[in-house]
Amino acid sequence: MSCVAAEMIQLLFLVLFVEGAVAFLLLVKIGPLRELVIKSLDQVKMGKRPATVKTIAGTMSVILFFSLMNIVKIQNKGAKLGTMSPMDQVLWRTHLLEASLMGIILFFSLGSCVCLLLCVSCILCCVW
């Protein structure tokens, strides 16, 4: 796996853990921390930040789509040849990890039905 892909996966894990920590702080009733998280989230919703968040979400959706396309290409290549080479297996697993992390991040950050459909399609790709 290339250095850039490893850094991207580490970044996706970091974002996922931060979202988990924010969700945990919203669930647990620790007075000052919960109020700080709620105020921070309210500030993100105001001003120019929603446009930035939508742009980042759109970019991640495009990357997720192409990652899913690469998963399907690798699976079709393996089905056509009858077996997958070790390199194809590594690429397939890397793309699957990227797609699942991005799908989960989009689901938690946006919480919309579209993200749920993307996560379900990622899981279906895993089952194939």
Side-chain angles (χ1 to χ4, degrees):
M1 183 169 26
S2 70
C3 184
V4 175
E7 290 176 5
M8 187 176 84
I9 290 175
Q10 289 176 354
L11 181 63
L12 290 173
F13 272 120
L14 176 69
V15 170
L16 188 62
F17 287 131
V18 167
E19 287 179 351
V22 169
F24 176 75
L25 288 174
L26 288 173
L27 288 174
V28 177
K29 295 190 179 189
I30 302 173
L33 286 177
R34 185 175 185 195
E35 291 175 11
L36 179 67
V37 170
I38 291 173
K39 286 180 183 178
S40 300
L41 290 175
D42 284 340
Q43 287 181 352
V44 167
K45 290 180 182 179
M46 294 180 188
K48 295 182 181 180
R49 301 214 181 198
T52 306
V53 170
K54 289 177 184 176
T55 304
I56 292 171
T59 305
M60 286 183 69
S61 297
V62 169
I63 295 170
L64 174 64
F65 174 74
F66 283 109
S67 189
L68 289 173
M69 292 296 291
N70 286 332
I71 290 171
V72 171
K73 279 184 193 177
I74 293 170
Q75 284 180 339
N76 289 339
K77 180 181 172 185
K80 194 179 291 184
L81 296 175
T83 183
M84 290 174 64
S85 69
M87 185 64 181
D88 285 340
Q89 290 176 359
V90 170
L91 287 172
W92 183 79
R93 288 182 181 139
T94 303
H95 287 300
L96 186 64
L97 180 61
E98 288 174 4
S100 61
L101 287 174
M102 281 188 268
I104 291 169
I105 288 169
L106 285 171
F107 176 73
F108 281 142
S109 63
L110 300 177
S112 67
C113 271
V114 173
C115 293
L116 180 62
L117 290 173
L118 290 174
C119 290
V120 168
S121 64
C122 183
I123 291 170
L124 290 177
C125 285
C126 180
V127 171
W128 284 351

